[in-house]
Amino acid sequence: MSLEIRAPWLEAETTRAVWAALTAEGAFVRFVGGCVRNAVINGPPTDVDLVIDQPPEQTLDLLAKAGLRAEPTGLDHGVVMAVLDGQGFEIASMRRDVTPDGRRSKVEYGASVLEDAQRRDFTINALYADRTGRVEDPIGWALSDLEARRVRFIGSPAKRIQEDYLRILRLFRFHAWYGEGEMEPPGLVACAGLAAGLERVSRERVGAEMMKLMAAPDPSIAMKAMEETGVMEYALPEARRNGPFAALSAMERRYGVQPVDPMRRLALLTRGAAPEEVMERLRLSRHAANELTARSVSYPITDSSTARRLGYERGAEAARDVMLIAAADGGPAIQARWFGDINEGARQKLPVTANDLIDVGFTPGPRLGAALTQAERDWVASDFVLDRATLVARASEVREAS
């Protein structure tokens, strides 16, 4: 019985245009990978990738003839990117690998669909579809693995890893997103034995995989397996051991907090480590480093007052994450009202300004800055009760006394 997928990307005009360009001269073309996989399980949309039975130079020529913009993003690996209306379509020439060196493989083009499937990483990523949405499973068990939520390598796990050591991290990431239960032993054994190969992978690629992993709904099983196999020591040495990720995931579900931002998990994973070190290890942006710092636990929320204070100091999202992290790690039990208190604190705005202090005799300079800082401290300490007049009067008294 054949399986057909239906997805918005399949019927999109941009997709139709790229398909028409590639098949204009009779080339064999198929959709492949994540877009097909997620369409089968009604998962979130992913980038639309395709394969073609032509070498990359011919792919570029076909796109050019159709007037489509093309970028040779990975020409050495047979990969071309078609760009239409701001959307990218990755097109890979079907190929077979020869003489892999662990980072990249020399390839020969013109392989069959089965040969192309056999060189991919995991069974669930070796699904293909034609223009009508008819799904093809050339290796024969991709669909059954997807249904069983089983993530495993195609063929020899060690061989697949040695073709690209980043596949070690991809195994854990894909299990967190698409797997269920304990991970497959053969893959874990291979990852444990080859974990040192991650030192040959750029930190940018490692960082990207780690962030995708921690954005999964519940990465606790995968992250525990990373620790047990020794993979975490190579991916993120700054990570703590035996982190309470299952407890954090349970709290997220209990309070309806969606794990859309991996920073919460990263903050728990690296609690106690310097954010700057983590930023350097994973090549995070300055913005990401600031987000990580905001989620570090300097003091726990113990009542409504501290909840409002943390909301003011860190912002609503970061303060909420600090509360969840602390509770998951054995800190104070969360009170439901604290969520509202955090939001209330985040809405607060200091009622006194520099101009208010200048109006009562301060002049621009260090003393003005110090007075404004002290006014803010007094205001926060009062649980945001002190008004503008009181704060200005206090500052004026200190100025006159000095």
Side-chain angles (χ1 to χ4, degrees):
M1 180 178 178
S2 62
L3 173 66
E4 292 188 359
I5 57 174
R6 292 289 179 267
W9 61 262
L10 189 61
E11 302 301 327
E13 289 299 322
T14 50
T15 304
R16 290 177 179 271
V18 172
W19 183 278
L22 297 177
T23 58
E25 297 181 9
F28 178 88
V29 177
R30 289 293 184 268
F31 299 107
V32 67
C35 60
V36 181
R37 177 197 65 226
N38 283 18
V40 170
I41 62 175
N42 294 317
T46 68
D47 294 336
V48 179
D49 297 338
L50 304 96
V51 290
I52 187 171
D53 67 347
Q54 302 295 312
E57 294 78 11
Q58 180 63 19
T59 302
L60 288 171
D61 185 59
L62 290 169
L63 293 170
K65 287 179 179 179
L68 300 184
R69 175 185 163 197
E71 298 177 356
T73 53
L75 207 58
D76 290 343
H77 303 285
V79 178
V80 172
M81 181 74 73
V83 181
L84 186 59
D85 292 344
Q87 181 181 358
F89 295 81
E90 187 174 279
I91 306 158
S93 296
M94 290 194 295
R95 56 207 189 274
R96 60 180 66 87
D97 291 324
V98 292
T99 62
D101 68 359
R103 287 174 297 177
R104 61 187 64 185
S105 299
K106 294 181 180 179
V107 297
E108 294 177 351
Y109 300 117
S112 66
V113 172
L114 178 58
E115 288 174 315
D116 186 78
Q118 289 172 334
R119 54 153 295 280
R120 294 185 176 271
D121 49 9
F122 310 116
T123 60
I124 62 172
N125 291 337
L127 289 171
Y128 300 73
D130 63 17
R131 181 67 193 85
T132 67
R134 184 176 63 87
V135 176
E136 300 172 19
D137 181 3
I139 61 174
W141 56 84
L143 286 171
S144 60
D145 280 355
L146 189 59
E147 182 178 9
R149 297 184 64 84
R150 181 170 49 238
V151 180
R152 55 175 172 165
F153 286 103
I154 295 173
S156 164
K159 182 179 180 181
R160 294 283 81 81
I161 290 171
Q162 288 171 319
E163 290 166 349
D164 184 351
Y165 285 106
L166 188 67
R167 287 175 173 174
I168 293 174
L169 297 185
R170 284 171 61 84
L171 175 67
F172 296 99
R173 191 248 291 187
F174 273 85
H175 182 83
W177 280 98
Y178 302 105
E180 187 174 273
E182 297 302 314
M183 299 179 65
E184 293 287 302
L188 292 178
V189 170
C191 288
L194 296 168
L198 285 171
E199 294 181 338
R200 304 174 66 178
V201 181
S202 72
R203 291 187 178 184
E204 288 82 0
R205 296 180 75 202
V206 170
E209 279 299 319
M210 290 295 291
M211 299 306 281
K212 291 175 183 177
L213 164 65
M214 286 181 282
D218 185 355
S220 56
I221 292 176
M223 296 181 79
K224 179 181 178 183
M226 288 179 69
E227 292 182 8
E228 294 174 344
T229 55
V231 169
M232 191 69 80
E233 294 179 12
Y234 291 96
L236 185 57
E238 292 79 7
R240 59 189 299 200
R241 299 298 177 259
N242 302 313
F245 303 110
L248 179 60
S249 295
M251 288 187 179
E252 290 169 340
R253 291 191 295 271
R254 177 179 179 183
Y255 294 106
V257 178
Q258 295 298 318
V260 295
D261 187 343
M263 282 303 171
R264 187 185 313 125
R265 271 65 176 282
L266 184 59
L268 177 61
L269 179 64
T270 59
R271 188 175 181 184
E276 292 294 332
E277 293 179 2
V278 178
M279 178 188 74
E280 174 62 23
R281 175 70 59 181
L282 300 180
R283 292 292 194 268
L284 301 179
S285 66
R286 173 58 59 180
H287 172 74
N290 291 339
E291 290 293 303
L292 184 61
T293 300
R295 284 157 175 77
S296 63
V297 182
S298 56
Y299 60 88
I301 292 177
T302 56
D303 53 25
S304 291
S305 178
T306 53
R308 284 189 287 268
R309 175 183 170 187
L310 201 63
Y312 172 73
E313 293 178 349
R314 309 285 179 94
E317 290 188 6
R320 177 204 60 198
D321 288 353
V322 167
M323 179 175 65
L324 290 166
I325 291 167
D329 210 16
I334 294 174
Q335 303 297 316
R337 67 177 182 277
W338 291 350
F339 287 93
D341 294 328
I342 286 173
N343 291 333
E344 181 182 349
R347 291 192 296 267
Q348 298 297 322
K349 184 176 180 181
L350 181 63
V352 62
T353 67
N355 286 334
D356 292 328
L357 299 186
I358 290 174
D359 288 343
V360 294
F362 281 89
T363 57
R367 291 187 65 190
L368 173 62
L372 194 60
T373 298
Q374 186 60 52
E376 183 178 33
R377 289 174 180 166
D378 292 344
W379 176 64
V380 172
S382 75
D383 200 12
F384 312 103
V385 170
L386 294 180
D387 59 15
R388 172 182 170 278
T390 303
L391 293 170
V392 170
R394 285 190 176 186
S396 182
E397 290 173 0
V398 171
R399 183 185 65 80
E400 292 174 357
S402 60

